[in-house]
């Protein structure tokens, strides 16, 4: 499925989407799509450009209170450990989640909840001496964060982004959300 077809499919499911370049940056101004899902005509404009290399789903109220947990494994966190905590605490919840594997071997966990917030850092670690030597500006690496109101995540079929399941995005309770954020 190409990006435009996917964008229309996402929009039909109540998700606001934008086109991105190879650097995961929005190609066009996207603030208005934080409040309204693009029309078919707008989607054609957003995705019928050679610069469009990916698709991003905008989180927050515009997408039905979508929030996504981003587990970034390239900085040392193990997905299996995070996954095991959720499975141990609530295997039924885990089975309902929409999980996407990212290009950098990380994972996005999609859900909708009546209560969400803006982007939040949930876990981070300080840079090692070697990392500071390679990049003196590096101080902290974010391991787990949320993408909520006014945030977005890169989504399939962008190269390297693959769903792990066929689940629809679930609606979860506030208690289930708390469990995911504390795992």
């Amino acid at each position: 499925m190409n990006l435009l077809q996917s964008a229309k499919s996402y929009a039909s499911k109540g998700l606001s989407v934008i086109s991105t370049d190879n650097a995961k940056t929005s190609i066009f101004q996207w603030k208005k799509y934080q409040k309204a899902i693009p029309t078919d005509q707008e989607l054609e404009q957003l995705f019928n450009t050679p610069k469009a290399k990916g698709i991003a789903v905008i989180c927050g109220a515009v997408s039905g209170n979508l929030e996504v947990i981003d587990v970034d494994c390239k900085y040392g966190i193990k997905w299996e450990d995070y996954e095991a905590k959720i499975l141990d605490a609530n295997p039924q919840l885990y089975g309902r989640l929409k999980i996407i594997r990212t290009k950098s071997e990380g994972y996005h966990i999609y859900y909708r909840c009546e209560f969400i917030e803006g982007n939040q850092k949930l876990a981070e670690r300080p840079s090692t001496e070697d990392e500071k030597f390679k990049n003196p500006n590096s101080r902290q690496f974010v391991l787990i964060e949320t993408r909520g109101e006014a945030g977005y995540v890169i989504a399939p079929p962008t190269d390297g982004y693959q769903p792990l399941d066929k689940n629809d995005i679930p609606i979860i309770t506030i208690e289930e959300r708390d469990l995911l954020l504390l795992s």
Side-chain angles (χ1 to χ4, degrees):
M1 185 180 294
N2 71 31
L3 291 176
L4 178 58
Q5 290 172 321
S6 294
K8 288 181 177 183
S9 176
Y10 281 123
S12 74
K13 294 175 183 174
L15 298 168
S16 188
V17 294
I18 55 172
S19 57
T20 62
D21 61 18
N22 279 332
K24 302 193 246 182
T25 303
S26 177
I27 297 170
F28 300 97
Q29 293 292 322
W30 63 282
K31 190 152 188 84
K32 75 180 195 175
Y33 302 117
Q34 293 175 30
K35 302 285 182 217
I37 295 173
T39 64
D40 277 354
Q41 183 179 0
E42 289 171 319
L43 289 171
E44 302 254 351
Q45 291 172 331
L46 289 168
F47 289 92
N48 280 335
T49 171
K51 291 181 181 179
K53 301 297 182 193
I55 187 168
V57 175
I58 299 175
C59 301
V62 71
S63 291
N65 267 13
L66 176 69
E67 193 170 53
V68 175
I69 297 174
D70 181 359
V71 180
D72 203 340
C73 299
K74 69 181 173 257
Y75 299 124
I77 191 165
K78 292 183 179 166
W79 167 251
E80 295 77 16
D81 295 344
Y82 186 79
E83 180 184 43
K85 288 180 182 179
I86 300 169
L87 277 165
D88 288 346
N90 190 332
Q92 292 79 18
L93 171 62
Y94 179 84
R96 293 179 17 236
L97 295 172
K98 179 74 182 166
I99 302 173
I100 306 295
R101 186 176 180 137
T102 71
K103 187 176 190 174
S104 61
E105 308 290 316
Y107 296 84
H108 290 164
I109 303 169
Y110 289 58
Y111 57 85
R112 289 176 164 137
C113 185
E114 70 180 273
F115 177 78
I116 63 167
E117 299 174 86
N119 301 338
Q120 297 180 68
K121 294 176 186 174
L122 301 178
E124 53 190 334
R125 71 161 175 82
S127 300
T128 64
E129 290 305 316
D130 187 44
E131 290 165 338
K132 287 179 192 173
F133 179 77
K134 291 178 184 172
N135 179 1
N137 295 327
S138 74
R139 303 221 186 296
Q140 294 279 100
F141 288 103
V142 177
L143 305 174
I144 303 172
E145 63 189 321
T146 63
R147 290 287 177 233
E149 197 63 48
Y152 69 73
V153 293
I154 306 303
T158 304
D159 283 343
Y161 289 77
Q162 190 69 35
L164 295 187
D165 53 63
K166 297 201 181 286
N167 295 344
D168 289 327
I169 299 170
I171 297 171
I172 65 173
T173 66
I174 293 171
E175 294 77 21
E176 289 171 327
R177 177 184 179 268
D178 288 347
L179 183 146
L180 292 173
L181 297 183
L182 296 173
S183 289

